[in-house]
Amino acid sequence: MPFTPSFSHTLGPLELEVMRIVWAHDGPITIRTVERAINDARPSDARLAYTTIMTTVHRLAEADKSMLRSVEQRMHGRATSYVVQIDRTTFFTRLIDQIARELGATDADREDACAALAQPSEPAIER
């Protein structure tokens, strides 16, 4: 049977890009701030619409992902800000744990994987 990942905590490329920005930001962040950070890093012909980023942020705040939580802020108008619900380390830990469970990893397998991750070089790939 082929391995089919069904990770509930995986992120798509744009979701990951948004989360990297949010994780690096200290405190609440608006969609406009996320949009500027994403588009400032892209060439002009690859910029994304505000609504695309807004939809992505909203999906990250929905119950199935729960990566972000919205908070109302009344600084400049009535913009909704978002805060991290799951920090980077927790996300990484949950993802690794889910992969291990889906692969049927034993405690020894997990220990070996943790030791390999702690090494500065990439682990060898078995052939």
Side-chain angles (χ1 to χ4, degrees):
M1 170 187 327
F3 172 69
T4 307
S6 61
F7 313 127
S8 60
H9 294 293
T10 49
L11 300 177
L14 183 55
E15 291 172 327
L16 184 56
E17 192 172 355
V18 167
M19 287 310 300
R20 283 183 181 141
I21 291 164
V22 176
W23 281 323
H25 189 78
D26 188 26
I29 190 170
T30 64
I31 294 170
R32 180 68 64 198
T33 303
V34 173
E35 183 256 341
R36 286 184 184 135
I38 287 172
N39 284 329
D40 285 350
R42 293 173 177 260
S44 60
D45 63 338
R47 293 179 187 250
L48 300 176
Y50 176 87
T51 53
T52 299
I53 296 166
M54 179 181 68
T55 299
T56 302
V57 169
H58 287 169
R59 285 186 181 152
L60 287 166
E62 289 175 353
D64 64 328
K65 298 265 183 191
S66 295
M67 298 291 294
L68 300 174
R69 179 174 49 87
S70 65
V71 292
E72 286 292 322
Q73 291 214 329
R74 300 189 185 267
M75 292 167 34
H76 303 295
R78 199 169 168 255
T80 300
S81 295
Y82 293 83
V83 293
V84 171
Q85 190 84 333
I86 299 175
D87 64 53
R88 186 187 317 246
T89 301
T90 302
F91 174 76
F92 181 70
T93 303
R94 287 181 183 177
L95 184 61
I96 296 299
D97 183 59
Q98 191 158 355
I99 291 168
R101 277 187 278 118
E102 290 194 15
L103 292 174
T106 65
D107 287 342
D109 294 332
R110 289 172 191 243
E111 288 176 22
D112 291 345
C114 287
L117 285 171
Q119 298 300 317
S121 60
E122 293 184 28
I125 297 174
E126 290 185 28
R127 296 183 192 253

